[in-house]
């Protein structure tokens, strides 16, 4: 069964550094998402992306964050200048249909900011 | 406005006994509802989905959920718990007219031997 893959599984970065989290969504899916889960807290929506544009974003997704689909397969989340509070598990998801279709999630990238 | 409430942050049941994880939602528009499971250090796996077809939805691993519009509920059940069911469970609501996605806070299910 096709799946969403995320790399790396664990990323350790110094505060203030830029970090790029990578995702390969399911190949025929059209809608892409990033979520964040701070340890012990709920999963929070960050951003959705369709047709090479951001379609929705949350308050968390400020100017430090950006997303890109640089080619036909990758979907990346960039944090420009990391802060301690960016430490979290980041999940990528994709789905075929907007609204009704289920999202398929990757296993996540654990980001640790030192 | 949309919201999801998972009424219990922790649920403990004995192996072989029924499981009930509660979820209530509010949505201004016709919602789609999902349950996901997260095992330790793993991603989110789809258990089942409701998208306005049958109100009783069967999922993987023996789980099912019933959409009750009058009660705005979508509780997850399983007749007989197994040790491998120990995990975090998330109820998710999406709005069909756009891409708003809301997660519940999660319920951690503990299975007692």
């Amino acid at each position: 069964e096709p799946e969403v893959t995320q790399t790396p599984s664990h990323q350790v970065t110094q505060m203030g550094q830029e970090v790029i989290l990578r995702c390969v969504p399911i190949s025929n899916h059209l809608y892409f998402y990033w979520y964040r889960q701070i340890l012990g807290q709920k999963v929070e929506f960050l951003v959705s992306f369709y047709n090479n544009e951001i379609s929705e974003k949350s308050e968390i997704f400020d100017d430090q964050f950006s997303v890109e689909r640089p080619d036909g397969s990758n979907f990346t989340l960039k944090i420009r200048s990391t802060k301690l509070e960016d430490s979290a598990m980041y999940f990528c998801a994709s789905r075929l249909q907007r609204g009704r279709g289920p999202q398929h999630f990757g296993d996540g990238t654990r980001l640790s900011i030192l | 406005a949309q919201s999801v409430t998972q009424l219990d942050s922790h649920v403990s049941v004995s192996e072989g006994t029924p499981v009930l994880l509660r979820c209530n939602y509010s949505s201004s528009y016709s919602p789609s509802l999902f349950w996901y499971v997260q095992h330790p250090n793993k991603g989110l796996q789809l258990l089942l989905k409701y998208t306005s077809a049958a109100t009783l939805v069967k999922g993987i691993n023996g789980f099912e959920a019933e959409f009750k519009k009058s009660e705005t509920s979508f509780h997850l059940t399983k007749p007989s718990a197994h040790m491998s069911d120990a995990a975090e469970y998330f109820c998710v609501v999406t709005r069909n007219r756009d891409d708003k996605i809301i997660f519940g806070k999660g319920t951690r299910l503990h299975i007692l031997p």
Side-chain angles (χ1 to χ4, degrees):
Chain A
E1 183 177 324
E3 57 183 31
V4 176
T5 56
Q6 289 185 244
T7 55
S9 57
H10 192 187
Q11 173 83 45
V12 182
T13 301
Q14 292 286 336
M15 187 172 62
Q17 296 295 306
E18 175 183 284
V19 67
I20 297 176
L21 309 182
R22 301 181 191 280
C23 170
V24 179
I26 294 173
S27 61
N28 63 337
H29 284 189
L30 302 174
Y31 299 88
F32 313 111
Y33 308 84
W34 283 101
Y35 293 85
R36 179 180 81 176
Q37 185 182 31
I38 294 171
L39 187 64
Q41 298 186 26
K42 65 188 287 186
V43 178
E44 300 171 291
F45 168 75
L46 290 177
V47 65
S48 61
F49 190 86
Y50 169 71
N51 200 26
N52 284 320
E53 289 184 340
I54 290 173
S55 45
E56 301 275 354
K57 62 181 181 179
S58 71
E59 296 172 350
I60 303 166
F61 195 88
D62 61 21
D63 292 344
Q64 294 297 316
F65 290 88
S66 61
V67 289
E68 196 177 30
R69 190 154 161 81
D71 52 42
S73 59
N74 289 282
F75 179 52
T76 61
L77 174 70
K78 183 192 291 186
I79 308 175
R80 192 167 54 190
S81 177
T82 50
K83 303 185 284 287
L84 292 176
E85 53 265 37
D86 293 327
S87 295
M89 195 76 162
Y90 288 81
F91 292 105
C92 173
S94 69
R95 65 178 168 183
L96 181 60
Q97 293 175 289
R98 175 175 157 124
R100 291 183 181 275
Q103 294 175 72
H104 297 263
F105 286 82
D107 281 347
T109 293
R110 181 168 297 284
L111 178 63
S112 300
I113 308 300
L114 305 178
Chain B
Q2 251 175 225
S3 69
V4 179
T5 302
Q6 290 184 245
L7 295 155
D8 306 296
S9 57
H10 292 265
V11 169
S12 296
V13 302
S14 297
E15 191 175 19
T17 64
V19 175
L20 169 65
L21 305 183
R22 297 184 291 169
C23 173
N24 286 89
Y25 71 93
S26 72
S27 179
S28 306
Y29 299 90
S30 176
S32 291
L33 294 154
F34 307 86
W35 275 98
Y36 285 86
V37 60
Q38 184 182 28
H39 288 94
N41 300 314
K42 290 288 188 183
L44 294 149
Q45 181 185 19
L46 179 67
L47 272 180
L48 48 79
K49 62 181 179 181
Y50 165 78
T51 55
S52 80
T55 55
L56 181 62
V57 181
K58 293 190 186 298
I60 62 171
N61 301 335
F63 284 94
E64 59 183 42
E66 186 171 7
F67 174 71
K68 291 187 177 179
K69 189 174 180 179
S70 60
E71 298 175 11
T72 60
S73 70
F74 189 58
H75 301 333
L76 182 70
T77 61
K78 182 172 179 176
S80 176
H82 191 272
M83 294 301 289
S84 60
D85 295 328
E88 185 99 20
Y89 291 79
F90 294 94
C91 183
V92 177
V93 62
T94 70
R95 219 157 58 170
N96 292 339
R97 65 187 290 270
D98 58 26
D99 238 3
K100 292 277 188 212
I101 299 150
I102 306 292
F103 271 74
K105 289 187 176 180
T107 298
R108 184 164 294 280
L109 177 63
H110 305 270
I111 309 298
L112 308 172

